[in-house]
Amino acid sequence: MEVVEKKSAEVAKFLAALNVKELNYGASTGLNHLSTKGAKLDSYSPVDGSLIGSVNCATEADYQQVMKTATEAFKEWRNIPAPKRGEIVRQMGEQFRKYKEPLGQLVSYEMGKSLQEGLGEVQEIIDICDFAVGLSRQLYGLTMHSERPQHRMYEQWHALGVVGIISAFNFPVAVWSWNAMIAWVCGDVCIWKPSSKTPLCGIACQNIIAEVLKNNNVPEGVSCLVTGNAMGDLINNDHRIPLVSFTGSTRIGRKVSSLVAGRFGNTILELGGNNAIIVSEHADLSMVLVGAVFGAVGTAGQRCTSTRRLIIHESVYDKTIDVLKKAYAQLSIGNPLDKNNHVGPLIDKGAVNDYLNAIEQAKTQGGNMIVDGGVQEVAGYEGGCYVKPCIIEAKNSYEIVQQETFAPILYVMKYSTIEEAIAMQNGVPQGLSSSIFTNSMREMELFLSVNGSDCGIANVNIGTSGAEIGGAFGGEKETGGGRESGSDAWKAYMRRQTNTINYGSQLPLAQGIKFDI
């Protein structure tokens, strides 16, 4: 793999620490890497604009070879007892513990999030491995009483098949693990298309688990990877893939949903978020400060759960704005590998343009700049992707406020009653994450009730970001409705079968139907 010399000493160090032999292939079936001959895909770091490395994208022929291997592997993998599959996932978790530091550094450098967030993302892999190990002994079905004498009814869950995983750049490794680890203990095999903006993170993960696959004689094809944007449509149109998990924009999600539904496949869609925090007159503003600032500027606003809107009670509005302005003035913008910096770069210059355009639209539609934005020059890191987190006073009805902009832009607005605040929170097309800061039990319960937040995630006295793997992750409306990670999200990766056993000597029909012959 080619590593650019500019500022490459530290980068080369953590890449070497990953102890991988190859980072330049574009397709893999586990231990075997295909010599792909597709178009060259370069990975540039938004940190300093340097070329980290290049891969050759998979071709359609490569894809077909990978899928053939995966479908054959499924026939064997599904018959391995679930607890033994869980043991293999446990060993993968140990590998990620071993490589947490260098993989976290690669995530930070290739994607641009802070090192702490990069390490946190690898910790999510470790945590979901632990969760999946326990789950491998808890794939429970139900037993039901039959209305017919000497009959027993129950349901069981069977492995689904090949699961397609299409992940986004903002969480280049964690979202894959949320899907793959659960799918594997359920008996499925996986084909992963990592984001073309962060391909090396995906390839690194494939290398990290290779030792576990080899040591346990895991069938070739249980863990597959293909790179390149063309792979997405191949996965979405492939009738051999019963489930596609897609993370990305609402715009692309609509296309994925249509293609997969057209062949009667299933989807898990994790799409846009336009997340709000309600700041009550009964809130502890010191807690609001931490939740709102991290939610708005963490990952440079490039989380689907990033805080986009702050809905503040009129009685504490001015005080809250003053606190936020002071906090924003102390933010340090720069190299995300430096732990002293709070905000790293956006993923690329296209994202910078989206950020700048959103600010201009907000101004045109009547917004008032509370904290100015703009491109931030960072000495020694001239990638051109650093921007200033900004705060804009706006109305919820503004067209730009109704949209998700993947950047550190926080819109602030006032409310008078809690019912008005909840209506504003719900008054956007997206429905992923939501939060209220209050010490009023009535407000808490109302926010969490059927008359409250319409999002898949609703928090009290914590921010909109930072979901734990124990709970099912996902949202409603234009967020897609999918669920990943914890709780009973595992059911999406299996097929349900209802079984009825007649252990008597007669054959009574259900509903008392008589059919004499």
Side-chain angles (χ1 to χ4, degrees):
M1 187 191 76
E2 178 185 1
V3 178
V4 174
E5 287 298 321
K6 179 184 176 184
K7 300 182 182 66
S8 65
E10 185 177 2
V11 179
K13 181 180 178 181
F14 62 70
L15 286 174
L18 287 169
N19 194 31
V20 297
K21 296 179 180 179
E22 292 181 83
L23 269 179
N24 61 353
Y25 57 85
S28 170
T29 54
L31 296 179
N32 293 323
H33 308 323
L34 280 62
S35 299
T36 53
K37 302 188 185 303
K40 184 180 178 184
L41 176 62
D42 295 326
S43 178
Y44 290 92
S45 171
V47 174
D48 57 11
S50 294
L51 176 67
I52 312 173
S54 304
V55 303
N56 288 326
C57 296
T59 64
E60 183 170 357
D62 298 324
Y63 173 83
Q64 296 300 338
Q65 183 176 341
V66 168
M67 275 301 301
K68 180 179 179 182
T69 307
T71 53
E72 287 301 313
F74 172 62
K75 297 175 184 178
E76 183 176 348
W77 180 247
R78 66 186 177 186
N79 285 308
I80 296 174
K84 291 188 176 180
R85 298 193 297 256
E87 166 59 19
I88 293 168
V89 168
R90 185 195 67 79
Q91 293 176 33
M92 291 180 181
E94 292 303 308
Q95 283 292 92
F96 283 106
R97 284 182 171 88
K98 180 179 177 181
Y99 292 108
K100 178 179 177 179
E101 187 75 21
L103 182 58
Q105 290 173 321
L106 178 59
V107 168
S108 177
Y109 189 65
E110 189 174 30
M111 184 269 152
K113 64 176 59 177
S114 73
L115 179 57
Q116 289 300 312
E117 292 180 86
L119 295 171
E121 187 168 345
V122 182
Q123 186 61 48
E124 287 192 52
I125 300 178
I126 296 167
D127 292 343
I128 200 67
C129 285
D130 288 347
F131 180 89
V133 173
L135 179 64
S136 69
R137 295 180 182 271
Q138 300 179 75
L139 302 174
Y140 299 139
L142 298 173
T143 60
M144 291 79 74
H145 288 278
S146 173
E147 66 184 54
R148 290 167 285 183
Q150 295 186 310
H151 282 61
R152 181 167 69 89
M153 295 178 63
Y154 70 98
E155 68 177 24
Q156 57 182 332
W157 295 83
H158 294 302
L160 198 58
V162 181
V163 173
I165 304 169
I166 303 174
S167 60
F169 74 87
N170 60 331
F171 279 84
V173 298
V175 171
W176 160 73
S177 71
W178 294 354
N179 287 275
M181 303 306 168
I182 303 299
W184 283 332
V185 299
C186 289
D188 302 323
V189 302
C190 298
I191 178 169
W192 178 23
K193 190 202 86 65
S195 168
S196 293
K197 296 181 180 181
T198 52
L200 301 183
C201 285
I203 291 172
C205 287
Q206 192 80 338
N207 277 270
I208 287 171
I209 64 174
E211 182 179 344
V212 174
L213 299 175
K214 180 180 179 180
N215 291 344
N216 288 276
N217 295 315
V218 173
E220 191 71 27
V222 167
S223 176
C224 297
L225 177 143
V226 289
T227 57
N229 289 332
M231 297 298 104
D233 279 348
L234 291 175
I235 290 172
N236 295 328
N237 285 295
D238 197 329
H239 70 277
R240 294 168 293 181
I241 299 179
L243 174 66
V244 175
S245 176
F246 172 81
T247 303
S249 70
T250 298
R251 180 178 63 86
I252 302 299
R254 284 194 177 96
K255 177 183 176 182
V256 172
S257 177
S258 177
L259 290 174
V260 179
R263 58 178 177 82
F264 295 103
N266 296 320
T267 54
I268 297 173
L269 300 175
E270 298 293 352
L271 311 177
N274 195 348
N275 317 293
I277 294 177
I278 297 173
V279 181
S280 164
E281 61 187 310
H282 308 293
D284 182 334
L285 291 187
S286 65
M287 295 175 67
V288 172
L289 178 65
V290 177
V293 175
F294 176 74
V297 309
T299 325
Q302 296 173 114
R303 291 182 178 222
C304 51
T305 55
S306 289
T307 304
R308 312 285 178 203
R309 298 172 294 141
L310 207 58
I311 303 169
I312 310 169
H313 191 270
E314 56 191 7
S315 67
V316 294
Y317 184 84
D318 291 340
K319 186 176 182 180
T320 303
I321 295 299
D322 287 341
V323 170
L324 286 172
K325 288 169 68 175
K326 291 176 183 177
Y328 269 56
Q330 298 175 36
L331 292 175
S332 179
I333 304 169
N335 177 10
L337 292 170
D338 182 344
K339 295 181 180 180
N340 294 316
N341 291 326
H342 301 100
V343 185
L346 294 178
I347 186 64
D348 55 28
K349 291 184 179 178
V352 174
N353 290 333
D354 290 343
Y355 158 84
L356 295 173
N357 289 336
I359 293 175
E360 287 306 309
Q361 288 185 53
K363 290 179 180 178
T364 300
Q365 293 166 26
N368 175 40
M369 298 301 299
I370 301 294
V371 175
D372 287 334
V375 176
Q376 175 75 46
E377 297 295 333
V378 179
Y381 296 90
E382 291 82 8
C385 295
Y386 294 89
V387 300
K388 300 174 184 177
C390 66
I391 302 176
I392 304 175
E393 188 175 50
K395 293 183 179 179
N396 204 57
S397 58
Y398 290 175
E399 183 180 352
I400 189 61
V401 176
Q402 292 285 307
Q403 301 170 13
E404 177 191 44
T405 303
F406 237 43
I409 300 174
L410 179 63
Y411 300 108
V412 295
M413 54 202 75
K414 296 179 184 178
Y415 77 91
S416 299
T417 68
I418 184 62
E419 290 80 9
E420 178 189 3
I422 292 173
M424 292 169 68
Q425 135 69 38
N426 293 343
V428 293
Q430 308 83 3
L432 178 53
S433 186
S434 58
S435 168
I436 186 171
F437 278 82
T438 182
N439 288 324
S440 164
M441 183 173 291
R442 174 183 175 270
E443 290 182 339
M444 294 180 191
E445 293 296 335
L446 179 62
F447 182 72
L448 299 177
S449 76
V450 69
N451 298 310
S453 170
D454 63 1
C455 293
I457 299 170
N459 297 327
V460 175
N461 292 330
I462 61 172
T464 60
S465 60
E468 298 181 30
I469 60 92
F473 180 88
E476 302 300 325
K477 301 189 294 188
E478 288 192 1
T479 299
R483 292 298 185 273
E484 297 170 329
S485 194
S487 185
D488 66 347
W490 62 270
K491 292 180 178 180
Y493 303 88
M494 304 192 82
R495 58 181 178 90
R496 186 198 307 252
Q497 185 180 78
T498 300
N499 306 117
T500 305
I501 299 172
N502 178 1
Y503 58 90
S505 58
Q506 303 296 317
L507 187 59
L509 301 178
Q511 295 84 47
I513 294 174
K514 301 296 183 181
F515 187 73
D516 297 326
I517 56 174

